[in-house]
């Protein structure tokens, strides 16, 4: 639909539009503040004392069809092997 920008404007419509925009900005600002507070509560500073925390992680040993990339040092599946470099196997991501 074409807009005629030269036509006279109605001030009442402009004021209603501004009020609606300012209200939506205030509502969104309150939502953002809540999210920031929730994130800050879960954030722990580096070097925090975690001696009383219990961390249970199951470590699975490297399988026979996996290798450790000599460049990124990640365990990759054999299908990700690109080539054997001078230091060892190199994955496709590091070779790219």
């Amino acid at each position: 639909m074409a807009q005629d920008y030269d036509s006279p404007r109605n001030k009442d419509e402009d004021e209603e539009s501004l009020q609606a925009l300012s209200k939506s900005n205030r509502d969104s600002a309150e939502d953002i503040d809540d999210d920031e507070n929730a994130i800050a509560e879960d954030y722990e500073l580096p070097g925090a004392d975690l001696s009383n925390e219990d961390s249970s992680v199951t470590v699975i040993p490297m399988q026979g069809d996996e290798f450790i990339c000599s460049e990124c040092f990640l365990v990759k599946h054999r299908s990700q092997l690109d080539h054997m470099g001078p230091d060892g196997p190199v994955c496709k991501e590091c070779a790219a």
Side-chain angles (χ1 to χ4, degrees), residues 20-38:
L21 284 173
S22 65
K23 182 182 179 208
S24 67
N25 285 343
R26 276 186 263 131
D27 292 343
S28 65
E30 290 173 4
D31 293 342
I32 291 172
D33 290 340
D34 292 341
D35 292 340
E36 288 176 358
N37 291 334

Side-chain angles (χ1 to χ4, degrees), residues 7-96:
S7 65
R9 294 185 180 184
N10 184 351
K11 288 199 174 238
D12 293 336
E13 289 177 5
D14 290 343
E15 288 176 10
E16 290 173 5
S17 300
L18 289 174
Q19 290 171 356
L21 284 173
S22 65
K23 182 182 179 208
S24 67
N25 285 343
R26 276 186 263 131
D27 292 343
S28 65
E30 290 173 4
D31 293 342
I32 291 172
D33 290 340
D34 292 341
D35 292 340
E36 288 176 358
N37 291 334
I39 291 170
E41 289 173 1
D42 295 335
Y43 184 74
E44 297 214 11
L45 296 174
D49 181 24
L50 300 176
S51 59
N52 61 348
E53 295 291 324
D54 180 31
S55 59
S56 58
V57 177
T58 305
V59 178
I60 301 172
M62 191 168 75
Q63 303 297 306
D65 61 346
E66 296 175 331
F67 69 96
I68 298 175
C69 176
S70 62
E71 293 191 20
C72 65
F73 304 106
L74 294 175
V75 177
K76 302 279 188 162
H77 188 265
R78 181 178 38 208
S79 64
Q80 294 294 314
L81 178 65
D82 187 70
H83 68 277
M84 291 296 290
D87 296 328
V90 179
C91 70
K92 291 180 181 180
E93 290 179 5
C94 291

